[in-house]
Amino acid sequence: MREASELSTLAIREASYAAAAGEGAARVMLRCATLAKITDKPGQILRTFVSPAMNEVHRTMRPWMEAAGMAVGMDRAGNLRGVYPADADADMPRLLIGSHLDTVPNAGAYDGVLGVLMGLALVESLAGRTPGFAIEVIGFSDEEGTRFGAPFLGSRAVVGELQGALLQRIDHAGATVGEALREFGAAHTDAVDASLAPGSGAYLEFHIEQGPVLESRNLALGIVEGLAGQSRGNVVFRGRASHAGTTPMRLRSDALAAAAEWMTRVEAIASRFENAVATVGEIEAEPGAVNVIPGFVRCSLDVRHPEDSARDAAVRAIFDEAHVVGRRRGITVEAEQYHEHPAVRLAAEIVAMAERAAKRAGYATIRMTSGAGHDAMVMAPHLPSAMIFLRNPGGISHHPDESVAEQDMAAGLHAGLCFLDEYAAWIGKKEGGQHA
Ligand code: GLV
Ligand code: MN
Ligand code: MN
C-alpha cells in the first residue's frame, strides 16, 4: 500500500519536473536569442572580457536572476554571480552552476550563455521552494580568451589563479588584464572579491556539445567524464621587409612564406599524433601592404590532446619544425608557449550523479571526453565537478550556425532537476543530515 503511494508521489514529481523543464526550455531559448543581440561588434556576436557588451549582458540578466529570488552581484573579475539561498537554518554545501558569458569572434548563440541560462532556469523552476542547499549561478567573464589570448580568466579568478604574469598580458589596444580589471572595478564599486564562497560543494556545467557525436548517436544528452589538455602559444618569424617589385626571389627573407610552410607542417605533425588537434587561428603579418615583402609574422598556436605527454611531444615537434623551416630560409624564429592546462578527469561520484539524473529523467547518455576547453576544467581541481552536454545539430560551433533544439534544453533541465535531488541526497549522506 505504502509502496504504491510512494510510487505515485514519484510519478507526480517526475511529471511536474517534465512540465517545468518544458517551460524553462522555452525561456532559455528566448533568452539565448536576446543575449545574441548584445555584441561588441555589430553584424556578428562578439563579447569579450569586461567589455561594454559584457556589461549590457549583466544589465539584462540581473533582473531575470533577481526575479528568480537570487541575490545578484559582480565580482572583481567581472563574473556575474547570483545566489539562491538555502533555508535560513540549513548549512549544506552550496551547488555552483555556471558557464561563460564571453564569446569568440563571429560566435554562435549558445556556447557559454546556454549553461548560465540553464542554471537560472533550474532555479526558476524551484518556484521559491528551497532544495535544502543554496545554488550559486555564475556567468564567467572569460572562458574563450578572445581579448587577452589566455583563456578562463573568470574561473581562474574564482579559484585564486588570476595573478602574476597573467595580469600583465596585453590586449590589442595595449591594456593589461590588470588595467582592464581596475577600470572594471572603478566602474562597479559594489563588486566583491572573486573567490569561491566558503561551503561550496560541487560545480555543474551545462554546455552545447560543440561537435557531432551526440547527434550521430541520436542522443539528447552526454555526460562528460574528462577534458583534453590544451597548450596555447605564439611563433614569431622575423625576416626582412623589402620592395615586392625589385627584390629577386632568391634574395628574399619572406617571413610570411616561412610561416606558410610551417603551417602545413603543423597540420602534418598533428595528424601523426593520434587524437591530437593543432590549429593556427591567428596571423599578424607586417607591414601588411600588397607591395611589401612581409618582414614580421606572428602565428598563434593551439594544441590539444587527452594525454598530456602526447600534447607536450606534439608542441615540441611543432616548435622544432618552426626552427628547421626558419634556418633553411634564413628567418629568425621565436616560439613560446604562454598557456597550458593539463587534461582533466571529472569527479567520478558527481559524474555518476549526472548520469543517474539523466537516466531518471528518461534519457540514455554516453560518457564523453571534451576536446573543447570549459570552465569545469578550472573548477574541477577545487570542487567535484560534472558537465552535461546538449546535442548540437549539425555539430558546428564557434560559428553563427551553432544550434540547440528546445526539446534538448528541456531534456537537460529535466536531468538538472533530478540532479538537484541527487545532490541533496549526496550532501545529506556526506554531512550525515536528513536531506536524502
Ligand atoms: C573554447 O571553446 C575552447 O575550447 O577553446
Ligand atoms: Mn567556445
Ligand atoms: Mn564554451
Side-chain angles (χ1 to χ4, degrees):
M1 201 51 199
R2 189 158 164 250
E3 261 184 24
S5 84
E6 266 173 19
L7 277 178
S8 82
T9 309
L10 263 181
I12 291 167
R13 191 166 64 182
E14 290 306 324
S16 77
Y17 280 6
E23 286 163 24
R27 275 194 308 274
V28 172
M29 188 55 110
L30 279 174
R31 286 170 176 168
C32 284
T34 299
L35 298 185
K37 296 194 185 97
I38 303 176
T39 178
D40 290 313
K41 191 167 180 185
Q44 61 168 259
I45 302 175
L46 171 66
R47 286 188 302 274
T48 63
F49 182 64
V50 298
S51 71
M54 184 63 74
N55 268 320
E56 199 183 327
V57 163
H58 286 194
R59 277 202 300 278
T60 306
M61 289 189 63
R62 255 178 189 268
W64 298 341
M65 295 169 85
E66 283 164 354
M70 305 175 109
V72 186
M74 277 176 289
D75 67 25
R76 294 203 189 281
N79 298 311
L80 181 65
R81 303 173 71 158
V83 180
Y84 184 74
D87 290 333
D89 58 346
D91 188 22
M92 297 305 239
R94 70 168 63 174
L95 175 65
L96 278 58
I97 307 177
S99 195
H100 57 103
L101 297 173
D102 69 318
T103 74
V104 293
N106 203 25
Y110 304 99
D111 176 4
V113 293
L114 175 71
V116 189
L117 294 172
M118 294 282 285
L120 169 58
L122 278 181
V123 169
E124 286 173 329
S125 61
L126 295 171
R129 170 176 74 82
T130 172
F133 50 86
I135 300 178
E136 178 172 356
V137 174
I138 310 187
F140 291 112
S141 54
D142 172 277
E143 180 263 357
E144 306 284 7
T146 304
R147 180 166 173 187
F148 286 98
F152 310 123
L153 298 182
S155 47
R156 283 205 266 181
V158 167
V159 300
E161 291 169 8
L162 181 56
Q163 47 187 300
L166 203 47
L167 287 167
Q168 300 309 317
R169 290 195 64 79
I170 50 170
D171 66 7
H172 284 294
T176 65
V177 173
E179 283 160 357
L181 280 173
R182 267 194 293 285
E183 193 183 318
F184 172 83
H188 303 285
T189 48
D190 62 340
V192 295
D193 277 347
S195 56
L196 271 182
S200 298
Y203 174 77
L204 174 66
E205 181 166 356
F206 292 91
H207 205 286
I208 181 175
E209 182 203 336
Q210 306 191 271
V213 175
L214 290 173
E215 186 182 39
S216 74
R217 301 285 293 265
N218 202 23
L219 295 171
L221 304 177
I223 306 296
V224 180
E225 57 181 354
L227 296 98
Q230 52 179 260
S231 298
R232 289 190 185 189
N234 284 311
V235 178
V236 168
F237 296 85
R238 290 181 204 275
R240 197 175 51 250
S242 182
H243 198 291
T246 59
T247 317
M249 297 311 286
R250 68 189 165 79
L251 296 179
R252 293 179 176 215
S253 290
D254 185 332
L256 188 51
E261 183 182 341
W262 170 72
M263 275 186 270
T264 63
R265 300 296 306 142
V266 171
E267 215 181 8
I269 291 167
S271 307
R272 263 199 345 248
F273 287 82
E274 203 184 345
N275 297 324
V277 287
T279 306
V280 177
E282 258 186 324
I283 305 176
E284 278 171 60
E286 292 177 9
V290 64
N291 56 353
V292 185
I293 298 163
F296 171 94
V297 173
R298 181 190 67 84
C299 295
S300 68
L301 178 69
D302 177 307
V303 180
R304 319 233 179 157
H305 199 286
E307 281 163 37
D308 294 333
S309 55
R311 174 174 48 82
D312 282 346
V315 170
R316 264 198 315 277
I318 286 170
F319 281 173
D320 287 350
E321 189 63 22
H323 290 288
V324 169
V325 170
R327 269 196 301 277
R328 202 173 51 244
R329 288 172 166 267
I331 301 277
T332 309
V333 172
E334 295 147 32
E336 56 141 8
Q337 176 175 286
Y338 64 78
H339 168 75
E340 180 177 28
H341 202 295
V344 165
R345 292 214 69 75
L346 298 179
E349 248 182 314
I350 311 286
V351 170
M353 275 162 52
E355 199 165 44
R356 279 199 302 276
K359 188 168 177 199
R360 227 189 77 198
Y363 297 95
T365 55
I366 47 168
R367 296 228 175 168
M368 308 179 75
T369 297
S370 174
H374 297 293
D375 296 298
M377 289 178 87
V378 176
M379 303 301 279
H382 302 267
L383 281 183
S385 300
M387 285 195 79
I388 299 179
F389 272 175
L390 274 63
R391 170 167 44 197
N392 174 196
I396 188 156
S397 187
H398 284 184
H399 188 279
D401 288 349
E402 186 178 86
S403 75
V404 187
E406 190 175 309
Q407 68 189 36
D408 292 347
M409 293 177 180
L413 287 174
H414 193 167
L417 284 165
C418 295
F419 184 90
L420 298 187
D421 291 338
E422 293 278 340
Y423 181 73
W426 184 63
I427 56 176
K429 269 187 225 137
K430 272 170 68 109
E431 308 271 321
Q434 301 300 312
H435 288 254

